[in-house]
Amino acid sequence: MNVMLSAIDRICSAAAAVAAVLLGLLFALGFAEIVLRSGFGISLPIAVEYSGYLLVLVLFLGSGWTLTHAGHIRVTLLSEVVSDSIVRLLDVLCSVIALLISATLTVALIEYAYGTWVRGTVSYYSSETPLAYPQALLAIGPAVLTLALVARILRLLTGRVPEVKTAETAEPAP
Amino acid sequence: MIGAPIAVVIASLVVLLGAGVWVGFSLMGVGLISLSVFRDMPVATFLAFDVWNSLNTPEIVALPLFILMGEILFHTRLSESVFRGLTPWITRMPGRLLHVNVVGCTLFAAVSGSSAATTATIGRMTLAELKARGYNENLAIGSLCGAGTLGFLIPPSIILILYGVLSETSIIDLFIAGVVPGAMLAASYMAYIAIRVMLNPALVPDDQASATWMDRLKAIGELGPILGLIAVIIGSMYAGIASPSEAATIGVAGALVIALAQRALTRQTLALAFMGAIKTCSMIGLILTGALFLSKAMAFLGLPQAVAASITALDLSPFALILLLTVFYIALGCVIDGLSAIVMTLALVLPLISAAGFDQVWFGIFLVIVVEMSQITPPVGFNLFVVQGLTGASIGRIAKASLPFFLIMVAMVIVIALFPDIVTFLPRSMG
């Protein structure tokens, strides 16, 4: 069990690290576009299109890691007034509901990407990028989140701590 | 019959959110449930289509970049510079260093899109310093909580970006419109502090701090980086040179330059800043996905028109409608964070607002101020949590210290409802 849980943790961290790198790329792409356009009058043909792809990945790839680091928002009013054992039970229930939704989203995104691949749809930009690729990458984020929810449920059921507190960041919450 | 879908949506939303299902999943779940029950359609396929199409939007690119900029600045010594730079300018004002909270938050809000980040960044510098010098702690805490909420109102603002995306309103117009109300709020906070201190001089220590004009001129150097960054970000957008995402890109570059100049740019701080940004992006990404999908689902079910029709049937005056919405959002803000409160209700509330003849830019600013109030109302108010983390004081005490500033915001809402031009004249004259 521990092997599996730590494997899922590593997948979550790796996906979040990739998201961080892609965020850096998103900045670099935007910066390159501004410099080239204002300095040399050249516009990168892929800038707008690829920043859109990078954006959806940045928003989703870190989702599983964010779950294990208590970063997703939930209403905690009820869990503050009931006993610890009920909190744990309720947490299992919520995690199972979230797992169902997350799995639905993951499967739907994979099917959507597959459908795009079968039809061979390409982007309407000049690059004519086959849209199945970014769409398939988009499905990875929810897939990792689904795994993180499985790990969370297993931890709750076996009396382990479901999430870790992280070092301070500028944005404790919105 | 429209009653059944409304009942299902509200009931499942209350149950899922109340039980503690994460907000994004709750919104997505309600959309999935209501469409499965009332519409014969491939619901999951529609969800996938919606996620891909609505998130792949150029305007949203500004969001992760502004978040990254705030994270990088958080790891610099910008707040210390702001403190040192402002101090000599306010030695003559009644309340002296208490104004650093307000002016510091106002300046930082102009380079940060979040209230919690603004409160945390300025507060970790000012609160300990004010306490050590013997300033009244309640006034110090209250003014920080109040002024910290300017993070959402003064551009760039995460909430205004989300509002712009969800309501299809120009983000630049929203950013322009937030400036005057933000400045008015800051001025009101400062006036309140000054009046309190004039009535009771014992609230501030009796040190004979003085500053020469030489000190003040030197202090401008300390403020240089933040003022420069504000000028570049806001200036480029207002001048029409840059889109919000381009301004955010320039902002990240500026933040990196400041971090480099302050020798705060290490591999470790950079990694912390990026991972912190990813955490916030993931959180917002999930909520935004859920909100966008639920909005589409509700539109499919005809709920916005139905709700608008039933509210119109009440024949409320526009002012009564705004009053009703204010009370509604303050109540909602007591149990849920402001960002979630806005994204989950917008699909239903916007048609009402348009029907009543309100300007969408005006309404965005109104919403932000009301939601800012929810940041400092217990039991759920994120600025309260931030200040609790900084001081260890109880939520009740912090909320009480913030109450006067809450009331100033209520007054501000009434003022902009009576005189909507305060919000709309600037975007209109610049647009």
Side-chain angles (χ1 to χ4, degrees):
Chain A
M1 174 90 100
N2 279 328
V3 176
M4 194 180 94
L5 290 177
S6 66
I8 293 179
D9 285 347
R10 276 202 298 274
I11 293 172
C12 289
S13 303
V18 173
V21 171
L22 295 181
L23 178 57
L25 271 181
L26 182 65
F27 162 67
L29 187 62
F31 194 67
E33 164 76 9
I34 291 173
V35 170
L36 287 176
R37 201 188 48 210
S38 54
F40 307 95
I42 313 165
S43 182
L44 291 173
I46 56 157
V48 173
E49 178 187 6
Y50 277 75
S51 55
Y53 304 152
L54 288 171
L55 171 70
V56 292
L57 298 177
V58 164
L59 290 180
F60 274 104
L61 272 180
S63 224
W65 175 79
T66 301
L67 183 82
T68 57
H69 287 72
H72 286 305
I73 291 189
R74 63 201 299 197
V75 178
T76 52
L77 278 186
L78 188 58
S79 63
E80 279 159 15
V81 294
V82 295
S83 71
D84 280 358
S85 56
I86 300 182
V87 168
R88 199 162 264 268
L89 197 70
L90 208 57
D91 205 345
V92 172
L93 183 71
C94 290
S95 303
V96 169
I97 294 172
L99 175 68
L100 291 175
I101 299 169
S102 184
T104 306
L105 175 64
T106 308
V107 171
L109 283 171
I110 292 171
E111 284 176 354
Y112 186 63
Y114 182 71
T116 307
W117 187 68
V118 168
R119 285 190 301 275
T121 316
V122 298
S123 67
Y124 51 79
Y125 294 97
S126 56
S127 70
E128 298 193 347
T129 307
L131 284 177
Y133 298 135
Q135 285 172 0
L137 292 174
L138 171 60
I140 296 174
V144 174
L145 181 55
T146 307
L147 282 179
L149 283 162
V150 170
R152 183 185 178 89
I153 293 166
L154 290 175
R155 285 200 164 102
L156 284 168
L157 290 177
T158 55
R160 291 175 167 88
V161 183
E163 52 196 31
V164 288
K165 296 264 176 267
T166 36
E168 70 176 337
T169 65
E171 318 236 354
Chain B
M1 185 58 212
I2 197 76
I6 291 182
V8 167
V9 165
I10 292 176
S12 49
L13 198 56
V14 170
V15 169
L16 288 175
L17 283 174
V21 176
W22 293 268
V23 174
F25 281 130
S26 297
L27 303 179
M28 232 180 286
V30 173
L32 289 168
I33 293 169
S34 55
L35 283 181
S36 309
V37 173
F38 295 105
R39 285 287 179 278
D40 184 23
M41 60 188 282
V43 178
T45 312
F46 176 57
L47 172 65
F49 167 84
D50 182 61
V51 170
W52 171 254
N53 282 287
S54 25
L55 287 185
N56 197 345
T57 307
E59 285 81 34
I60 311 181
V61 172
L63 194 75
L65 293 175
F66 275 131
I67 291 170
L68 177 62
M69 177 179 77
E71 285 282 350
I72 295 171
L73 291 177
F74 182 74
H75 291 284
T76 64
R77 284 185 294 280
L78 201 62
S79 55
E80 286 93 323
S81 302
V82 168
F83 191 88
R84 281 197 304 271
L86 289 177
T87 305
W89 288 91
I90 50 176
T91 47
R92 288 271 186 80
M93 287 166 83
R96 294 199 296 277
L97 288 183
L98 287 170
H99 295 289
V100 174
N101 266 343
V102 181
V103 183
C105 283
T106 309
L107 288 178
F108 199 78
V111 290
S112 162
S114 144
S115 284
T118 303
T119 308
T121 311
I122 296 301
R124 73 184 170 146
M125 181 65 220
T126 58
L127 283 185
E129 191 76 16
L130 288 171
K131 192 176 176 186
R133 296 190 188 197
Y135 283 82
N136 177 281
E137 209 180 350
N138 280 339
L139 206 48
I141 288 177
S143 56
L144 175 69
C145 277
T149 62
L150 293 171
F152 280 151
L153 187 57
I154 294 179
S157 157
I158 289 171
I159 288 198
L160 285 178
I161 294 176
L162 290 176
Y163 175 85
V165 170
L166 289 164
S167 67
E168 295 175 7
T169 309
S170 154
I171 293 170
I172 298 255
D173 280 356
L174 289 165
F175 278 4
I176 294 173
V179 170
V180 173
M184 284 174 69
L185 264 179
S188 310
Y189 295 154
M190 293 174 78
Y192 171 76
I193 292 171
I195 291 168
R196 278 290 303 276
V197 172
M198 283 195 278
L199 292 176
N200 180 7
L203 292 171
V204 297
D206 191 22
D207 57 356
Q208 292 302 319
S210 64
T212 62
W213 278 102
M214 202 56 211
D215 295 336
R216 289 179 189 147
L217 289 178
K218 274 193 206 143
I220 290 188
E222 296 275 3
L223 293 176
I226 193 166
L227 292 178
L229 197 56
I230 293 172
V232 170
I233 297 170
I234 300 189
S236 63
M237 280 189 290
Y238 286 13
I241 307 167
S243 68
S245 44
E246 287 165 337
T249 305
I250 298 167
V252 172
L256 286 172
V257 169
I258 289 176
L260 203 63
Q262 294 189 343
R263 295 177 202 286
L265 195 69
T266 63
R267 278 182 61 152
Q268 198 203 357
T269 55
L270 207 56
L272 279 174
F274 268 87
M275 291 313 276
I278 287 301
K279 199 170 169 184
T280 307
C281 289
S282 305
M283 181 270 286
I284 293 178
L286 192 63
I287 294 179
L288 185 61
T289 308
L292 286 165
F293 179 63
L294 180 59
S295 306
K296 300 267 168 48
M298 290 197 291
F300 262 93
L301 297 169
L303 296 196
Q305 301 89 309
V307 171
S310 54
I311 298 277
T312 312
L314 291 177
D315 203 21
L316 294 169
S317 70
F319 198 75
L321 176 67
I322 285 301
L323 201 65
L324 189 71
L325 286 173
T326 308
V327 174
F328 170 71
Y329 277 108
I330 290 176
L332 197 60
C334 283
V335 292
I336 200 165
D337 69 283
L339 193 148
S340 306
I342 289 188
V343 296
M344 62 193 257
T345 54
L346 212 49
L348 294 181
V349 171
L350 267 182
L352 292 179
I353 289 305
S354 310
F358 285 100
D359 183 85
Q360 282 202 3
V361 171
W362 179 87
F363 187 66
I365 301 302
F366 160 83
L367 259 189
V368 167
I369 299 176
V370 175
V371 154
E372 284 187 28
M373 295 179 194
S374 82
Q375 296 284 106
I376 57 171
T377 49
V380 178
F382 280 105
N383 285 22
L384 300 179
F385 297 157
V386 172
V387 174
Q388 184 179 42
L390 290 170
T391 61
S394 74
I395 289 290
R397 183 177 165 206
I398 301 168
K400 211 173 135 200
S402 313
L403 184 64
F405 298 89
F406 175 83
L407 295 176
I408 291 173
M409 288 186 210
V410 174
M412 188 68 201
V413 167
I414 296 172
V415 168
I416 65 162
L418 290 174
F419 307 102
D421 280 348
I422 292 172
V423 176
T424 51
F425 90 93
L426 205 53
R428 238 194 346 252
S429 60
M430 294 179 78

